[in-house]
Amino acid sequence: MARLFDAYIMVDWSAAAKPATGANSVWIGILARDARLKFQFRAVNPDTRTKARAFLVDMIGKLLARGDKVLLGFDFALGYPAGTADAANFDTEAVPPWQAMFEFLSSRLKEREDNSRADERFAVAASLNYKISGGQFPFWGAMSQRHQSATLGQKKTAFDSDRAVAEHRMVESMLRKQPGATPKTVWQLGGQGSVGSQSLMGIPHVATIKSSFEGARLWPFELGLDELTDEGLQGVNLVITEIYPSLIPTKPAPGTVLDAAQVETMARHYCDLDGKDRLGALFMGPEGKTEAEMSQIQAEEGWILGI
């Protein structure tokens, strides 16, 4: 069987408020064929998110121009818990919930080359809290006083059963049952291990990358929860997914940044599965979910490839 993809690009995102390289910055891992058709890996460490996006658009454009199909993975949530878009009073009749959130964040978060507008994520989170609850729920984690307000605090507000949204997406709840897996909630903006800011700052860039290529599709939002096949990729040359680097144990070589090692590990992992004709099955998503839950995953929550 032929491979589904010819190149595998994995991205470790960052929410840094200023240009940065090394640990805790953006790392991009590219595993693609060379002139002799052998897979070669290289890592790139842009110092800002806008540079990272520009690099990705350029690199993907070159790969697609030579006829490659590309799998592109980001290490932050591409969706929010079911009911978020409705709770925020987005128009979910015109577009699906995930798209309503993408459009809202893309309209509110306009990055500069030097990351200097990164703090705007706190204002966006506060505005979403106002829409959803009128108070400091569900986003939290504004660690600086200047980012705190009547609708955004430092500490978590209880996620009681009567709240409009859950603390975790289904995929995070599933992961948290596995030994050693502790994925954070998308609502936490700051603090150790938080990923909420990465999602807020990353989704607008994903939207721009997707809009740059006619054959780009987001999984599972646009491809559905089915086994991916050659037929399913007709007219599609770029598939964008959510990844979880801690899924595969990584031991960096001495002097190697963990983030750089993780994007290589993930790229090689998916490449290896593809070569064994086992990658397509991962796009079916989770087993044992009800039809309603699967619908929520595809419409709003998203899923992590391989969970």
Side-chain angles (χ1 to χ4, degrees), residues 5 10 71-73 171 219-220 228 239-244 247 266 269-270 273 279-285 302-307:
F5 300 98
M10 302 295 128
L71 178 65
L72 173 62
V171 68
W219 179 82
L228 195 61
V239 174
I240 304 172
T241 71
E242 179 181 340
I243 62 172
Y244 186 66
L247 178 67
M266 293 305 293
H269 172 66
Y270 292 126
L273 289 178
L279 182 60
L282 298 187
F283 290 86
M284 297 174 68
W303 200 257
I304 296 169
L305 188 64
I307 302 300

Side-chain angles (χ1 to χ4, degrees), residues 243-276:
I243 62 172
Y244 186 66
S246 297
L247 178 67
I248 307 298
T250 302
K251 293 183 178 180
T256 301
V257 174
L258 174 61
D259 299 337
Q262 286 185 320
V263 293
E264 179 173 5
T265 296
M266 293 305 293
R268 294 191 183 280
H269 172 66
Y270 292 126
C271 178
D272 181 61
L273 289 178
D274 201 3
K276 296 175 181 177

